Amino acid sequence: MSHSELFRNVVETVFSTWTALRLAVEHGMGGQQGKEIASQFVNQVTDLFCKNDIGAEEVADFLAEFMDKEFQTVCEDDSPDEVATVLWQFYQHCKAGRHDLVTLELSKFPKCEMWLCKPVHPIRSDEEAMDTVDTITHERSSDTAAEEHDPEWTEVRSRRRKERALM
């Protein structure tokens, strides 16, 4: 297996564990073709690394911009930075021919459904999506002051912020 093929598997595995991406696809933020867009995202990121000498910061910017543009999702949890750093480290190992190390490190990833390879079941209708948004908005308004909700955007919040707020 070439290093680019191995790295594509890495990107697919890392993206399968990226909660923000999965939620954006499952909730139809990329439209009916969300899963296909996510698959193209895997290919674009793989090509970005394989065809360029690129740093983790540039990759993080690309990931954040793609999520915003294609999935109308702004990741305020710094996950694009984390994902970019992990991908950059794996790519360095792939490029150096350390395929055994890459395989070993991938085996340490949490076991999750490889949803990029299987059909994703998005919310079925706009009405169901609005019901979900209404439920979330109602739950938030009881905990905090009411905020305006823009159904065009999905906000991904860090769990760390909640933990800090509770302290």
Side-chain angles (χ1 to χ4, degrees), residues 30-154:
Q32 292 182 349
Q33 293 80 26
K35 187 170 178 254
E36 291 80 19
I37 293 170
S39 292
Q40 291 170 1
F41 194 19
V42 169
N43 293 332
Q44 288 179 4
V45 170
T46 302
D47 289 345
L48 182 68
F49 274 97
C50 294
K51 294 180 179 177
N52 301 292
D53 182 23
I54 192 163
E57 298 84 18
E58 295 166 305
V59 175
D61 290 343
F62 177 78
L63 297 177
E65 185 178 316
F66 191 94
M67 289 294 288
D68 185 16
K69 181 180 173 194
E70 297 296 331
F71 293 108
Q72 294 77 45
T73 301
V74 176
C75 300
E76 291 185 350
D77 62 352
D78 296 327
S79 62
D81 296 332
E82 294 172 23
V83 169
T85 299
V86 169
L87 291 174
W88 188 85
Q89 290 169 344
F90 269 108
Y91 185 71
Q92 298 310 308
H93 294 310
C94 288
K95 193 166 77 169
R98 298 184 208 121
H99 295 190
D100 291 339
L101 178 61
V102 170
T103 304
L104 175 67
E105 292 299 316
L106 277 180
S107 72
K108 294 178 184 177
F109 265 66
K111 301 297 178 217
C112 69
E113 177 184 358
M114 295 297 287
W115 62 271
L116 281 170
C117 301
K118 297 180 181 179
V120 174
H121 304 289
I123 294 176
R124 291 189 183 105
S125 69
D126 289 341
E127 185 176 294
E128 288 178 30
M130 290 310 295
D131 288 344
T132 302
V133 168
D134 289 343
T135 302
I136 291 169
T137 304
H138 177 68
E139 289 171 0
R140 283 186 186 161
S141 66
S142 65
D143 294 338
T144 61
E147 298 176 348
E148 285 188 37
H149 178 74
D150 184 356
E152 298 283 323
W153 294 87
T154 299

Side-chain angles (χ1 to χ4, degrees), residues 17-29:
T17 62
W18 189 8
T19 305
L21 177 60
R22 183 172 183 151
L23 288 174
V25 172
E26 286 179 347
H27 290 279
M29 300 310 294

